[in-house]
Amino acid sequence: MSNSPSISELSPLMSNYGRFPVTLVKGKGSCVWDDKGNQYLDFTSGIATCNLGHVPDSVKEKLMEQLDNLWHCSNLYHIPSQQELAALLVENTFGDQVFFCNSGAEANEAAIKLARRYAQKVKGTESYEVVTFQQSFHGRTLATLSATGQEKIQQGFLPLMPGFRYLPYNDLAALEELCSDKTCAVLLELVQGEGGVIPAELEWVQQLEKICKENGILLMIDEIQTGMGRTGSLFAYEQYGIEPDVISIAKGLGSGFPIGAIIAKAEVAKAFDPGSHGSTFGGNPLATTAGLATVQHILSTNLLEKVNELAETFDTQLHQLKDKYSIISDIRGKGLLKGMVVQGKAMDIVKKAMEYNVLTLTAGPDVVRILPPLTATKEEMLEFFVVLEKVLQDF
Ligand SMILES: *Cc1c(COP(=O)(O)O)cnc(C)c1O
C-alpha cells in the first residue's frame, strides 16, 4: 500500500474527467481567460453549449432580472418563462408540446420513456425496443449509455438496460432490419458528434423516415449537439425534409445555463399524463429564462443567416488546409459543427493549438472537432486559421 496517495494528496474531485492543465475563470464572446490572465480563442463553445459566445448580454440581462424575482418554484405551479419558451419552441418546430429537464441525457431519457409509454398504450407491452446506431452518443445515464452505440461508453457498467438494438449508420441495406415486432422508436443524431462528426446521408434519413411512418415507429432525433442553430438551421432535421415525432435538445438551449427538453407531437406527448414523469429542477424559472432569451436572440437577430455565411468561410478554409496538409484526409460535418480527420493525431493537434491559445476538441482519436461560437466574427475565424496553419506545419 506504500504507493497509494495519502488522504491529503488525494484530489477532492473524482477522476472521471481527463482535464487539460488549464483553469478558466472568465469568458466573453468567443474568448475565455485562465487564472493567469492568458486569453484563448474558444472554438469549442463549451462543447456546443455557449453557441451565443460566453456571457451573451441579451441572456445575461434577462437572467439578472429573474434573479431579483424568483429562482425556483416546483412544477406544481405555473411558471411563465417555461410556458413562453415552450410556446416559442412549438411555434418554430414540427412539435406541439414540450417537456423540460436539466441535461441532454435527461432529455434522451425522457424521449425513451415517452416512446415506451406511448407504444405500450397504443401497441401493448411487447413494444418497447428502441433502435439506435453504431458510433452514436446519447448520454451517460444507464438508459442513455445503453442507447449509445459505443462499447467504450458502456464498459464497466454492464448489464446494459434491455430494449436497445444498434444498426450501422448511413447503411441503406441495413434499414431492412429496422423493424421487429418489438420496435417502438428509432433514435438518431443527424450529425454524430462525439462519434466522429459524421453527417447522416439525406437519402438514408428519408428512407428511414419512410419505414418509420409505414410501420408506426416513432422517429426521434437527438438534436442535443446539432440543435440551436449549430448546423445552420434552428434544428438539423429541417435540412432533411423530414418530420420527426420527438426531438431532444439541451447543450445550446440555455447558453451555458443547464437545461434540456424534448419536443413532441401532441398525439405522442399525451402519453405523459399527470404523474407519469417529472423533474424537480426541470423548466426552473432561471433555466427557462436563459432558454427563452437564447431562442429569442437566435430568432430576432438573423443569426442563422450569419451562421451560414460564416460556415462558408469555415468550409473553404478547412478545404484549403486539406489540400495543403496530407495529414488531413477528410473534412466533414455541417454548418459550424466540423471535423477534420487526422489519423490518430487529433489529441496532439488539439494540445498544440492550445499552446497557441486556441481551444478545439477531439471526437475520438482521429477527428479534431471544431465548434466556433455562432456569433464568432469573420476576423476571429481567420485568426483561428492562422493558428491552425501554424499548428499543422508541425505534423
Ligand atoms: C452531449 C450530448 C448528449 C448528452 O448530454 P449531457 O447534457 O451531457 O447529458 C446526448 N446526445 C448528444 C448528441 C450529445 O452531444
Side-chain angles (χ1 to χ4, degrees):
M1 297 298 283
S2 58
N3 284 334
S4 61
S6 68
I7 297 288
S8 62
E9 292 169 58
L10 195 64
S11 166
L13 288 170
M14 293 199 190
S15 44
N16 56 311
Y17 298 110
R19 294 184 202 261
F20 295 103
V22 170
T23 305
L24 299 176
V25 293
K26 192 176 167 55
K28 189 68 196 168
S30 303
C31 294
V32 287
W33 287 264
D34 69 15
D35 56 350
K36 299 181 184 77
N38 299 309
Q39 181 178 335
Y40 299 82
L41 185 62
D42 180 8
F43 270 29
T44 74
S45 302
I47 318 191
T49 296
C50 305
N51 281 2
L52 304 183
H54 291 275
V55 195
D57 290 333
S58 56
V59 183
K60 180 181 158 184
E61 265 167 41
K62 298 286 182 190
L63 273 175
M64 299 285 259
E65 265 172 46
Q66 190 61 42
L67 275 171
D68 275 333
N69 293 328
L70 183 69
W71 294 12
H72 180 75
C73 80
S74 81
N75 281 302
L76 297 172
Y77 311 100
H78 294 285
I79 299 171
S81 52
Q82 196 182 109
Q83 301 232 350
E84 266 185 81
L85 176 55
L88 195 59
L89 289 171
V90 163
E91 199 183 309
N92 288 282
T93 62
F94 71 96
D96 301 307
Q97 290 191 302
V98 182
F99 165 79
F100 289 108
C101 51
N102 313 290
S103 67
E106 268 183 81
N108 283 334
E109 280 275 343
I112 294 161
K113 281 184 74 176
L114 182 67
R116 281 193 175 186
R117 197 166 167 94
Y118 171 74
Q120 290 180 26
K121 278 186 174 174
V122 301
K123 292 182 183 170
T125 53
E126 283 305 299
S127 180
Y128 58 82
E129 184 186 74
V130 176
V131 173
T132 66
F133 294 90
Q134 290 164 8
Q135 308 104 228
S136 61
F137 181 79
H138 298 298
R140 302 278 194 167
T141 63
L142 276 172
T144 57
L145 75 81
S146 301
T148 292
Q150 296 186 59
E151 265 176 39
K152 68 169 190 212
I153 305 287
Q154 301 166 338
Q155 212 164 41
F157 299 113
L158 304 183
L160 296 182
M161 209 186 118
F164 295 97
R165 188 157 56 88
Y166 320 95
L167 289 184
Y169 194 67
N170 275 335
D171 186 333
L172 265 176
L175 289 181
E176 278 175 29
E177 293 162 48
L178 193 70
C179 311
S180 81
D181 42 10
K182 294 193 188 72
T183 313
C184 70
V186 171
L187 175 65
L188 74 150
E189 299 155 275
L190 290 173
V191 179
Q192 290 187 324
E194 309 292 320
V197 193
I198 306 168
E201 281 156 23
L202 183 71
E203 190 193 354
W204 179 72
V205 173
Q206 291 185 342
Q207 181 63 18
L208 194 154
E209 182 197 37
K210 187 163 168 268
I211 296 171
C212 284
K213 302 271 131 113
E214 283 169 2
N215 293 279
I217 291 168
L218 297 180
L219 178 59
M220 310 203 295
I221 310 289
D222 180 341
E223 292 260 15
I224 292 162
Q225 192 155 157
T226 52
M228 303 310 294
R230 176 55 58 188
T231 66
S233 46
L234 188 57
F235 295 107
Y237 77 83
E238 298 165 43
Q239 296 173 45
Y240 284 85
I242 56 167
E243 190 160 289
D245 296 293
V246 180
I247 65 173
S248 49
I249 64 180
K251 289 199 164 92
L253 179 56
S255 291
F257 208 100
I259 180 170
I262 54 171
I263 308 174
K265 290 204 179 135
E267 164 68 14
V268 183
K270 73 181 183 205
F272 272 175
D273 43 10
S276 58
H277 189 50
S279 159
T280 297
F281 291 125
N284 154 303
L286 284 174
T288 44
T289 294
L292 183 59
T294 302
V295 180
Q296 281 170 339
H297 182 112
I298 293 174
L299 296 174
S300 67
T301 57
N302 265 341
L303 186 63
L304 297 177
E305 221 170 275
K306 284 183 224 145
V307 167
N308 285 308
E309 274 170 35
L310 195 63
E312 245 184 72
T313 309
F314 196 22
D315 229 29
T316 310
Q317 296 277 329
L318 281 169
H319 279 97
Q320 278 174 10
L321 287 182
K322 177 179 173 278
D323 293 342
K324 209 160 151 190
Y325 295 95
S326 59
I327 182 157
I328 307 174
S329 60
D330 196 11
I331 302 293
R332 8 183 238 230
K334 272 188 189 300
L336 295 180
L337 166 50
K338 288 273 158 61
M340 204 168 69
V341 184
V342 287
Q343 204 60 49
K345 291 279 188 249
M347 188 48 91
D348 296 335
I349 290 175
V350 167
K351 283 183 176 160
K352 194 80 198 166
M354 227 169 141
E355 288 174 21
Y356 291 102
N357 292 28
V358 164
L359 307 184
T360 52
L361 293 162
T362 59
D366 299 329
V367 181
V368 177
R369 184 170 31 150
I370 311 165
L371 298 161
L374 310 188
T375 50
T377 61
K378 196 165 171 190
E379 291 68 39
E380 287 166 337
M381 182 64 80
L382 296 177
E383 193 187 317
F384 169 78
F385 278 100
V386 170
V387 169
L388 190 56
E389 174 122 40
K390 275 192 221 162
V391 168
L392 288 168
Q393 278 162 9
D394 291 344
F395 287 87

